[in-house]
Amino acid sequence: TQSTWGIDSTRTLVMWLFALFVFAVIFLGFYTLNLLCKGPLPHWTSSSMLLAIPFFIFLSFLRLVGLLPTHKTETYDMRGKVCIVTGSNTGIGKETALGLAINGAHVILACRSVEKAQKAMQELNKQRTTFIFRNLFAKHGTFEVQELDLTSFDSVKRFSTRIIEKYSETGIDVLVCNAGINGMGGHKITQDKVVEVFQANYLGHFALVLLLLPLLRLKGKAKGVPSRVVTLSSAMHHFGAIDIPKNVSTPSESTYSSSKLALLLLSREINRRESDVISIAANPGSVRSDIWRDIPPHVLRILDVILNRLCLNNAEGSVTSLAACCNPEFSSVSKFSGYLVPYWLVLGMGFPFEFGGPLAGARWAQPRLPSNEPQVAKAMWEHSKTAVETLSSIRFS
């Protein structure tokens, strides 16, 4: 019998052995550094960082030689479901919209620029059609474009009014709070007198969720299966702090992190308040997406050398969002943490391994939460309602 072990298999084995050798050398180097420092650098020589830094360097090597797993499209049944994805003309949101449509959903591209969204819809229709031709049993989803600027409460109100008018009898199945900016473009204040990063990432989404909750409840109650709100959090939530009056009005270096912690807490509070709607916070991972657009181009070109080797691409970054939207096993979050990450967590540790790693699919992880999280989340909800109603014409029933 002829052996199936060939040159490619031997090369792969050799590369893995060499990769493990590289990791061992790096780890021993950092372990030696830890012994020599004996505490002067506690943040970088803690036991978790001692594992993490060599691990991330090791991953860069694996990606460089092509040994990391690649993205595989999951199949779900979303036929007949109406899904809204904010910021879906580019990046992770665009890939999330494509994944939903491939699985049969009607997807509303809720974007600030209608022109860019129309162009994205044409591209998505081509990609969806190509996928259907290659997969004879693929489902047939559709798209529509609606204008939504999350840095304007008036825009949020107009968008919600249009959606309520159109879907008042049928309701909606999924709302994906995807849109966001990273805050590296400066500390801008919107015309609503809110820090731009905080409004785009959290407060605009908070207003949108509350305005559309009746439609989500309607569909969840009618189908007997909870509708879903998916918020895009981040490993950066570890460095956030919730103080809504300060978050709203005062720019800081931690505004982005605070907005991602707020989205995580929003998901948990929805789960406490609602019976026909569930919410899942999805960490897309470290992704080379359009969220880096505010970085100066000459800096980004240099940064890309690192990002393209360590980071996930947009399709990989949409894995947790799509699982949160579609996976039927997640219809109840009571037995889960409510926080999805795309990585293997070494020894079960969330921080710092939720910052990077080989793509492992959507996995539950334990987020970092305040010790009195229920009280903090409840207060955040009420302060957020007050802030939106004070700064806009929106009134929550």
Side-chain angles (χ1 to χ4, degrees), residues 2 56-57 146 260 289 323 327 345-346 350 378:
Q2 186 175 1
F56 293 147
I57 298 173
Q146 291 283 353
K260 293 303 178 179
S289 71
N327 195 322
L345 302 179
V346 178
K378 181 179 180 181

Side-chain angles (χ1 to χ4, degrees), residues 175-177 229-233 263-264 266-267 279-283:
L175 171 59
V176 185
C177 301
V229 175
V230 178
T231 64
L232 257 70
S233 188
L263 285 168
L264 205 161
L266 173 61
S267 278
S279 185
I280 298 173
N283 171 4

Side-chain angles (χ1 to χ4, degrees), residues 24 103 110 114 130 147 152 154 157 196-197 213 234 245 248 255 267 281 288 290 303 309 315-316 322 333 397:
N103 285 291
V114 172
T130 300
E147 182 179 7
S152 165
D154 285 344
K157 185 177 181 180
E196 184 184 45
V197 175
L213 264 178
S234 162
V248 165
T255 298
S267 278
R288 176 57 182 98
D290 199 42
L303 194 58
R309 284 165 174 75
E316 293 168 332
L322 285 171
V333 295
S397 58

Side-chain angles (χ1 to χ4, degrees), residues 48-125:
S48 59
M49 294 304 293
L50 181 65
L51 274 174
I53 296 173
F55 185 64
F56 293 147
I57 298 173
F58 176 56
L59 292 175
S60 178
F61 173 78
L62 293 183
R63 188 172 290 276
L64 184 65
V65 299
L67 291 178
L68 287 182
T70 55
H71 171 63
K72 183 178 75 172
T73 303
E74 296 287 344
T75 301
Y76 304 101
D77 188 358
M78 297 293 284
R79 287 173 293 185
K81 295 189 176 182
V82 176
C83 305
I84 299 172
V85 185
T86 66
S88 43
N89 63 294
T90 187
I92 298 168
K94 187 177 178 182
E95 291 292 339
T96 301
L98 177 62
L100 290 168
I102 283 174
N103 285 291
H106 175 67
V107 185
I108 300 170
L109 308 178
C111 305
R112 180 167 49 183
S113 168
V114 172
E115 182 181 353
K116 290 181 180 179
Q118 294 283 5
K119 182 180 178 182
M121 184 169 69
Q122 293 175 0
E123 295 168 351
L124 286 167
N125 275 319

Side-chain angles (χ1 to χ4, degrees), residues 237 261 264-265 268 366-373:
H237 81 269
L261 176 58
L264 205 161
L265 294 175
R268 297 179 73 88
Q366 188 60 47
R368 184 192 71 82
L369 299 169
S371 58
N372 57 338
E373 179 266 324

Side-chain angles (χ1 to χ4, degrees), residues 210-233:
L210 263 64
L211 290 170
L212 296 184
L213 264 178
L215 295 186
L216 290 157
R217 292 184 191 124
L218 176 65
K219 181 56 78 71
K221 190 180 292 291
K223 291 217 166 185
V225 178
S227 299
R228 302 190 186 192
V229 175
V230 178
T231 64
L232 257 70
S233 188

